[in-house]
Amino acid sequence: RNPYSQAQKMAEIPSSRLILGLDPGLTHTGWGIVRYEQNRLSYVACGVISPPASRVLSERLAWLSHEISAVIG
């Protein structure tokens, strides 16, 4: 492992960015967004996506995809 290449990779990371975390599930999918800035994390938003359990799997997956896309914006 080359420490120079690791330092070089770290230098390429933007100093501010948003990070999306997902807790996947077919009945409830949790999501959270944090901001990484100046070596600190801060809360931005969170929520739960719950497609109707009565829908078939393909419709629930499409629902999740649509809602996650809306969160990403």
Side-chain angles (χ1 to χ4, degrees):
R1 196 165 160 169
N2 182 345
Y4 175 75
S5 65
Q6 185 70 14
Q8 188 177 18
K9 287 178 188 177
M10 292 300 290
E12 295 170 1
I13 296 174
S15 61
S16 176
R17 62 187 153 169
L18 294 174
I19 301 167
L20 170 66
L22 295 171
D23 181 13
L26 294 176
T27 55
H28 305 290
T29 294
W31 61 270
I33 300 174
V34 295
R35 179 181 311 279
Y36 173 79
E37 192 167 34
Q38 298 176 348
N39 292 327
R40 301 185 101 171
L41 293 173
S42 59
Y43 167 84
V44 175
C46 67
V48 176
I49 302 167
S50 299
S54 60
R55 301 282 177 99
V56 296
L57 177 60
S58 60
E59 292 175 346
R60 290 193 313 244
L61 291 172
W63 182 294
L64 288 170
S65 176
H66 178 267
E67 294 298 311
I68 291 170
S69 294
V71 169
I72 295 170

